[in-house]
Amino acid sequence: MRALPLLLLLAALPACAPGALPGLRSTLLPATAQDNARRGAVEIAVKGNFASVLDDISRGGGSALERAFDAAGVPLADRPARRLQLTGDLGLFESNPGALVTSLLLWGG
């Protein structure tokens, strides 16, 4: 019976591996130039046009939000669901552009 918990633990370990969550890296690994470039592009797209991005979120889409999605690499097929999520969390993002950047990076790849 002691082998069963060990087998379950071993089966769950791959989910903890770096790369298990697309768009995120382990904090133990240094950021690559590609990671930094993508983060910078998303920050510029969001923070440089923050009012327009928020307006687009409240309207369910628009060009400023699409540019932010593009910078983050959010797949086209995922965008309708992500727009709904952003609309639901608009209150959070209105006061925290960094949270919006982080969400986009998580959803992108």
Side-chain angles (χ1 to χ4, degrees):
M1 286 303 260
R2 294 183 71 194
L4 183 59
L6 181 59
L7 287 174
L8 292 174
L9 178 64
L10 289 175
L13 281 177
C16 300
L21 294 174
L24 294 181
R25 61 173 177 75
S26 167
T27 56
L28 299 176
L29 298 174
T32 65
Q34 183 180 9
D35 292 335
N36 290 335
R38 188 166 70 100
R39 174 172 281 284
V42 174
E43 286 189 6
I44 289 170
V46 169
K47 295 177 182 177
N49 300 302
F50 193 55
S52 297
V53 172
L54 291 177
D55 287 342
D56 287 355
I57 291 171
S58 67
R59 286 193 313 253
S63 61
L65 181 57
E66 289 304 309
R67 284 191 297 273
F69 279 150
D70 289 341
V74 177
L76 292 173
D78 292 353
R79 293 181 185 189
R82 301 308 182 194
R83 285 186 201 100
L84 289 174
Q85 285 179 292
L86 291 172
T87 302
D89 293 332
L90 184 58
L92 166 69
F93 299 129
E94 287 175 329
S95 61
N96 192 345
L100 178 54
V101 169
T102 301
S103 294
L104 292 170
L105 288 168
L106 175 63
W107 298 330

